[in-house]
Amino acid sequence: MSYHTIIQKVLLFIDDNLKENINLKDLAEIAGFSEHHFYRVFDFYVGYSPMKYVRLRRLCFAASEFSSGRKLIDIAMDYGFETHSGFSKAFKRH
């Protein structure tokens, strides 16, 4: 299996599981690599570290839910942010 195919598989897993706890170890296992090797391959192909990519995808998906009328804190909690301020800071940084 090519690196491109493996990274695509990991990206799909991330999008499908954004509301779950995702960590580097789990992503590396999906790819079939050591954590160190996976980190380097992912960063090379995607341009972001794996966990930064996860955070950015969570922010994108959360932003798409703003118009749903749900409370901001509820959206933040759904995507793994523990506080409203942490969620806001992540958006400001991005």
Side-chain angles (χ1 to χ4, degrees):
M1 194 179 293
S2 71
Y3 281 150
H4 177 77
T5 304
I6 292 168
I7 294 300
Q8 186 62 40
K9 180 179 171 183
V10 172
L11 294 176
L12 290 172
F13 174 84
I14 291 170
D15 280 356
D16 290 343
N17 294 280
L18 282 175
K19 293 184 179 181
E20 306 300 324
N21 183 23
I22 299 173
N23 59 53
L24 183 64
K25 181 181 178 188
D26 293 339
L27 297 177
E29 284 179 12
I30 290 166
F33 299 144
S34 70
E35 291 177 41
H36 177 73
H37 184 66
F38 172 72
Y39 183 97
R40 293 180 60 157
V41 170
F42 190 94
D43 189 45
F44 177 80
Y45 278 90
V46 178
Y48 294 107
S49 70
M51 298 318 295
K52 183 173 183 177
Y53 179 81
V54 169
R55 185 175 56 252
L56 291 174
R57 293 301 290 166
R58 284 182 172 151
L59 288 171
C60 289
F61 275 65
S64 72
E65 288 193 29
F66 284 161
S67 63
S68 70
R70 293 180 60 213
K71 291 182 180 180
L72 185 62
I73 190 65
D74 293 336
I75 295 170
M77 293 293 186
D78 280 352
Y79 286 98
F81 294 90
E82 295 180 9
T83 64
H84 178 272
S85 64
F87 187 59
S88 297
K89 286 178 185 178
F91 263 95
K92 287 178 185 175
R93 271 186 268 142
H94 180 61

